[in-house]
Amino acid sequence: MTQLPQSTDRKMGLVIDLDTCVGCHACVISCKGWNTENYGAPLSDQDAYGSDPSGTFLNRVHSFEVQPTPCQSNPAPEAQLIHFPKSCLHCEDAPCVTVCPTGASYKRVEDGIVLVNESDCIGCGLCAWSCPYGARELDQAEGVMKKCTLCVDRIYNENLEEVDRVPTCVRTCPAGARHFGDLGDPNSDVSQLVAERGGMDLMPEMGTKPVNKYLPPRPKDTIEEQIDILAPLLAPIAEEPQGFLGWLDKALDKLPGGNA
Amino acid sequence: MHPAPSVIVFTTLSGLGFGLLLFLGLGMPDVTGWVAFVFFAIAYALAVGGLLASTFHLGHPERALKAFTQWRSSWLSREGWCAVIALLVMAPYGAGLVFMGESYSILGLIGALFSLLTVFTTSMIYTQLKTIPRWNMKLTPAMFLSFSLAGGALLSGQIKAAMVLLAVAAVVQVVYWKQGDQALAASGTDMGTATGLGSIGEVRAFEPPHTGTNYLLREFVHVVGRKHAAKLRIIAFTLAFVVPLLLLYLSPHHLGALIAVLSHLVGIAVSRWLFFAQAEHVVGLYYGKR
Ligand code: SF4
Ligand code: SF4
C-alpha cells in the first residue's frame, strides 16, 4: 500500500557527522558488498572494467568546498572541505512512496524504514523522480528500483553478533562518522547527539521530513602565525646574485635559448 | 531531465488522441458510418499507441497491471484507470455511431469526461513533483489540457473552435515558458539548502562521488540540448500554433487542414522535448549542476 502510515512506532535512521567524515568511501564499498549479496536483486555494474563504467550504489560520498562568509571575528576565513555521504533519509513524508503506482514502495509502520518490494516494481522510475536526494537508482540489469534498506536484514538478524546488528555503513566507518538509532525517541543516543550538535535536515523546503540528520561541520581552527626560531638563519641572503655569480647569471641570460 | 523518446511520443500522441476522443464524445463532428470509423480509428491509434509507447521505458512492462492498484495515492495509477475507462466507454459509443448510426450520447459524455481526466492525470504526474520546480506549477496541467483541447479541435475539424483553442494554447505556452524559467530560483532550493551547508557560506561541488556516470546523471541531469533551447522554442511555437492558425485562416480545406495537423503534431513534440530537456531536477545540485 503506497499510502503513508499516519505515524510509525519508531523512526530508525542515521545521523551523519560531517565534521568527522574523512571521505574514505569505506561505507560506500561495504554497502555495495552487503547489499549486492543480500536483500533483493544484486547491485549490478555495467562495463565495470571498461572505459565507461557505471553501476548501482545505495550510498555515495560527495565532497563540497565551502567558503565561509567573512565576519568580524574572522575577516578572512579559510575554505572548508566537507565530505558528504548521501543515502536514503527514510523520510516521514516520503514522496517516493505516494507516487508509486504499484504499491511496491512502502514505509514500514514498525520502524519507519522505506523499502521496495521488488517483485511488485514495474521499474517506472517515478519514485526516483520524486526523491530530492537522489537516493534511488534503477538497476540496469534487473529493471527494478534499488535503495537503502537501512540494512533491514542486519539490524534484526539474530544470526549476527550483537555489535554487527547495525547498518553495514555504520559498522564499517573507520572515523565513527555514522550513527544509527531511533530518532523518534528523544532520549536515544542519536536524538541527543542531534540536539547537542544542531543536527539538520537536507532541503527542508521540500517538505519530506527526513528522519536521517546531518551534523554540521564545526568551524575550522584559525591558522596561527608560525613561530620558528631557526627561520632568521635560513632567510635568503641576497635576492639578486652579486659578484661572480651575478656576472654568470647575466652572461647565461644573454645566451640564445632564452632565460628560464 | 532526460528527454526519453518513449515518454515524449506517449504524451504527445495520447494527448492528441484523447483530445480527439473528447470532441467525438461530444458529437463533434456529428458523423456516422465509415466517416465515424475513420475518426475513431485515428483517435484510438493515437491514444493507444501513446499508451503502448509509455510502457517501453518500464523495467518490467509485464507487471504493468499492478499499476492499477494504487489509485488512492498515485497519479500514475489514476492515469491508468482514466485511460482504460475512457477507451472502454468510447468503444460502444463509437460502435453505435459506426455500425448502427445511433448516438448513445450519455456514453459519449462519460467518455469525453474521462478523456479529459486522462490528460489531466497525466499532467499531474509531472505537476506533483516538487523536485522539478519547472513542472511543479499550476500552469503544467493548464498546458497539457490546452494543448490536448486545441489538438482535438484541430483533428476533429472544428475550425472555429480550433482557432480559439490554438490561440489559448499558444498564450499558455508562452506564459509557461516565462514562469518556468524562474521556477528553480523561486523554489528557494540551491546547493546551500541541498547540503545544509549554506549557513556557513558559499558551497561549491569539489569532487563528485564517482568518476563515471550513473543512473542519476543519465536520468536527471540533461544539459546537452539546452543550449539550443531558445531556437527550439521558436520552432515549436511556430509549428504548433502559428502555422496551423495561418492555414486554418487562409485555406481551411482538406490539404490545408492536413498540413495544419502535421505541423501542430511536430510542434507539440518539440515543445514536449523541451518540457523534459529543460526541466532541472534538484538532485543535480549535489553535482553542482542544474
Ligand atoms: S530520501 Fe528519497 S528515497 Fe528515501 S524516503 Fe526520502 S524521498 Fe524516499
Ligand atoms: S520504479 Fe518501482 S518502486 Fe518506483 S514508483 Fe515505479 S513501480 Fe514503484
Side-chain angles (χ1 to χ4, degrees), chain A residues 87-91 94-96 114 130-133 135-136 147 208:
Chain A
S87 54
C88 172
L89 305 144
H90 297 280
C91 305
C96 56
V114 175
S130 77
C131 170
Y133 312 106
R136 290 177 167 242
K147 71 177 290 300
T208 51

Side-chain angles (χ1 to χ4, degrees), chain B residues 121-135:
Chain B
T121 47
T122 305
S123 72
M124 285 308 292
I125 296 171
Y126 305 107
T127 311
Q128 68 179 336
L129 298 170
K130 282 205 189 116
T131 47
I132 303 163
R134 201 185 273 274
W135 293 355

Side-chain angles (χ1 to χ4, degrees), chain B residues 79-112:
Chain B
E79 180 204 37
W81 275 108
C82 289
V84 166
I85 294 174
L87 293 173
L88 287 182
V89 172
M90 277 305 211
Y93 171 71
L97 289 173
V98 174
F99 300 112
M100 284 168 282
E102 288 280 350
S103 168
Y104 307 118
S105 48
I106 181 75
L107 286 181
L109 285 180
I110 297 174

